[in-house]
Amino acid sequence: MKDCNQCGKCCIKYGGGDLSATKEEIDLWEIFNPDIFKYVINNEIWFDPESGARLTSCPFLDIAAKKNPLDPNMYTCSIYLDRPEDCRHYPSLIPEMIRDECEMIEVIDLANPKKAQIKLDIIMEDSRPASFT
């Protein structure tokens, strides 16, 4: 299992309406992060603040500056410390990573998915709630 290389596949795939935020997160954004909260409608996330239309991608996903123009795009999250729990917990399962073509997974992980899941659980333990395991 490799470290995340910021390929953005997960954010691109799930950033267009497939994420949710907890009521607590939304309440905190309303009080402390109005720049995030303005993208919330009826406790659902990522709507255009002007038109009210659901966005097709996360408004906080940015392409990182490239050192070499031929390098592949790398992505950053401009609300990383305040991102929704859905984002914090991803990836959670090896089959999910395979389905989403996550670039963290390696051929050796495919050969032994149980061992890979154990390694993923260790990598992600600081991002997951205590009740996850």
Side-chain angles (χ1 to χ4, degrees):
M1 185 90 39
K2 297 183 280 188
D3 288 333
C4 176
N5 66 0
Q6 296 176 272
C7 72
K9 287 181 180 177
C10 53
C11 297
I12 292 166
K13 178 173 181 151
Y14 295 108
D18 291 327
L19 292 174
S20 62
T22 66
K23 177 79 169 97
E24 180 181 75
E25 288 171 316
I26 291 170
D27 290 346
L28 289 171
W29 292 338
E30 184 175 19
I31 296 166
F32 298 109
N33 292 310
D35 289 339
I36 300 173
F37 181 74
K38 70 183 180 183
Y39 291 91
V40 175
I41 294 179
N42 296 323
N43 292 319
E44 292 187 32
I45 58 175
W46 307 166
F47 288 87
D48 183 290
E50 293 178 22
S51 70
R54 183 176 291 278
L55 297 173
T56 58
S57 62
C58 176
F60 303 103
L61 181 64
D62 299 319
I63 297 175
K66 294 183 180 186
K67 293 178 183 171
N68 178 337
L70 300 177
D71 288 343
N73 286 341
M74 291 177 60
Y75 294 84
T76 61
C77 174
S78 62
I79 61 166
Y80 188 79
L81 296 176
D82 295 305
R83 70 197 187 281
E85 279 188 34
D86 274 5
C87 300
R88 292 176 193 273
H89 301 165
Y90 187 90
S92 58
L93 300 170
I94 297 301
E96 172 184 68
M97 294 173 75
I98 294 168
R99 178 196 66 212
D100 297 342
E101 300 177 2
C102 177
E103 294 184 14
M104 287 174 61
I105 202 157
E106 297 182 272
V107 173
I108 194 165
D109 300 320
L110 299 174
N112 192 341
K114 286 184 181 181
K115 184 176 180 181
Q117 184 66 54
I118 292 167
K119 188 166 186 181
L120 176 63
D121 291 343
I122 292 168
I123 290 170
M124 296 298 295
E125 75 183 340
D126 290 339
S127 298
R128 295 180 179 160
S131 62
F132 185 83
T133 54

